[in-house]
């Protein structure tokens, strides 16, 4: 059944950096900050253009490499994203966010060993980086290592008890272990924190389906669809057949 696992990239927005001179600092920071604004608006090409200029002015601008990497990742250009995260880490080996972002990109490419290594390094540098725990948990989950995944989601939730994504993803891990009541409890919490979390409604609907509670499954399907979620046709077909409803 189609479920939604949530990943988190770390967009590190700051104007704190070291520059060769005040003049260079002002110009590089100007382009960097404008790039951040473009990126927040989803205009990744313009963001890349501004980060390019910031890096041209200050080739040691690790944050600009990190954020350009995020923009490339959003554009699906994963090789270039990894290259930028690697450059940011080369400039600043203690840059936890770049380790985490490169790990997320490796995970997207199915390079799970490299992803786990990067997430682990990010956590070593910053033990409170919740995105790194969440995303390492996702990687363990994709490897079928559900107990390790749950341990990471637990840690993310311990650090941030309002982290809806971690509740959703822990619910998926419980569902993969066949523990549907625990899964539903986690989806409930994710929805309580974020009532517009369409994927959590979908995932809870799948769990209800497996429990044979088809009316509740349909309620969650309708809610997810009302929020704009594209419920997988295969799941809809299975739910129709199991429940005897035409739609």
């Amino acid at each position: 059944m189609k479920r939604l696992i949530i990943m988190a990239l770390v967009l590190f927005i700051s104007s704190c950096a070291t520059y060769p001179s005040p003049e260079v600092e002002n110009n590089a920071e100007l382009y960097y900050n404008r790039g951040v604004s473009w990126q927040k608006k989803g205009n990744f090409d313009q963001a890349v253009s501004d980060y390019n200029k910031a890096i041209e002015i200050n080739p040691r601008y690790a944050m600009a490499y990190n954020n350009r990497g995020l923009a490339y990742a959003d554009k699906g250009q994963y090789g270039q994203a990894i290259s930028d995260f690697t450059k940011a880490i080369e400039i600043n080996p203690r840059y936890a966010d770049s380790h985490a972002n490169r790990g997320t990109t490796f995970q997207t490419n199915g390079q799970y060993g490299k992803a786990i290594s990067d997430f682990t390094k990010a956590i070593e540098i910053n033990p409170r980086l919740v995105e790194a725990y969440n995303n390492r948990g996702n990687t363990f989950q994709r490897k079928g290592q559900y107990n390790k995944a749950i341990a990471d989601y637990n840690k993310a939730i311990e650090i941030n008890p309002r982290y809806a994504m971690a509740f959703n993803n822990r619910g998926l891990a419980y569902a993969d272990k066949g523990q549907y009541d625990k899964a539903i409890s986690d989806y409930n919490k994710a929805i309580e924190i974020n009532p517009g979390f369409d994927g959590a409604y979908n995932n809870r609907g799948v769990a209800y389906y497996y429990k044979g509670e088809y009316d509740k499954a349909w309620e969650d399907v309708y809610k997810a669809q009302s929020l704009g979620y594209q419920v997988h046709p295969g799941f809809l077909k299975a739910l129709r057949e199991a429940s005897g409803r035409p739609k």
Side-chain angles (χ1 to χ4, degrees), residues 3 14 17 40 59 87 92 97 114 120 128 138 171 175 183 185-186 189 203 216 233 241 246:
R3 293 106 39 85
S14 172
K40 286 182 175 180
K87 183 64 177 180
N92 179 8
D97 293 344
K114 289 183 176 180
T120 301
R128 296 191 64 78
N138 291 344
S185 178
D186 271 346
K189 186 63 177 180
N203 294 340
K216 290 182 178 180
E241 291 175 352

Side-chain angles (χ1 to χ4, degrees), residues 178-195:
Q179 296 176 292
Y180 298 117
D181 288 332
K182 285 187 175 181
I184 289 168
S185 178
D186 271 346
Y187 301 141
N188 289 344
K189 186 63 177 180
I191 291 166
E192 176 189 320
I193 295 167
N194 179 7

Side-chain angles (χ1 to χ4, degrees), residues 30 32 40 61-62 71 75 118 124 127 129 144 174-175 188 241:
L30 172 66
Y32 172 83
K40 286 182 175 180
Y61 203 162
K75 285 161 57 70
D118 263 340
E124 174 189 316
L129 188 59
Y174 281 131
N188 289 344
E241 291 175 352

Side-chain angles (χ1 to χ4, degrees), residues 166-177:
F167 280 105
N168 175 77
N169 292 342
R170 190 175 68 179
L172 290 171
Y174 281 131
D176 283 331
K177 287 165 62 71

Side-chain angles (χ1 to χ4, degrees), residues 7-205:
M7 299 293 291
L9 287 172
V10 185
L11 180 58
F12 184 67
I13 302 173
S14 172
S15 59
C16 300
T18 301
Y19 303 95
S21 71
E23 181 181 358
V24 171
E25 174 181 350
N26 290 336
N27 284 318
E29 186 176 344
L30 172 66
Y31 285 108
Y32 172 83
N33 288 339
R34 192 170 68 178
V36 169
S37 295
W38 285 123
Q39 198 160 1
K40 286 182 175 180
K41 294 175 181 178
N43 194 328
F44 305 120
D45 289 331
Q46 288 289 345
V48 167
S49 178
D50 275 338
Y51 294 139
N52 287 346
K53 189 63 178 178
I55 290 166
E56 178 185 329
I57 296 168
N58 178 14
R60 302 288 295 171
Y61 203 162
M63 290 185 294
Y65 281 106
N66 178 74
N67 283 14
R68 190 175 70 178
L70 288 169
Y72 280 134
D74 282 324
K75 285 161 57 70
Q77 297 173 251
Y78 301 119
Q80 288 171 281
I82 288 170
S83 178
D84 271 352
F85 297 139
T86 300
K87 183 64 177 180
I89 291 165
E90 176 187 312
I91 295 168
N92 179 8
R94 301 285 297 171
Y95 198 169
D97 293 344
S98 281
H99 282 287
N101 290 335
R102 189 174 67 177
T104 299
T105 310
F106 279 137
Q107 199 253 36
T108 300
N109 283 344
Q111 297 172 280
Y112 299 141
K114 289 183 176 180
I116 288 169
S117 178
D118 263 340
F119 293 137
T120 301
K121 184 64 177 179
I123 290 166
E124 174 189 316
I125 296 167
N126 180 3
R128 296 191 64 78
L129 188 59
V130 294
E131 294 88 354
Y133 286 106
N134 178 74
N135 292 356
R136 190 173 68 177
N138 291 344
T139 309
F140 282 132
Q141 189 167 342
R142 293 191 178 186
K143 286 168 63 68
Q145 296 176 296
Y146 303 122
N147 290 335
K148 287 185 177 181
I150 289 168
D152 272 344
Y153 299 138
N154 288 346
K155 186 63 178 180
I157 291 165
E158 176 188 323
I159 295 168
N160 180 5
R162 301 289 297 171
Y163 195 8
M165 286 191 293
F167 280 105
N168 175 77
N169 292 342
R170 190 175 68 179
L172 290 171
Y174 281 131
D176 283 331
K177 287 165 62 71
Q179 296 176 292
Y180 298 117
D181 288 332
K182 285 187 175 181
I184 289 168
S185 178
D186 271 346
Y187 301 141
N188 289 344
K189 186 63 177 180
I191 291 166
E192 176 189 320
I193 295 167
N194 179 7
F197 196 160
D198 55 358
Y201 286 103
N202 175 79
N203 294 340
R204 191 174 67 180

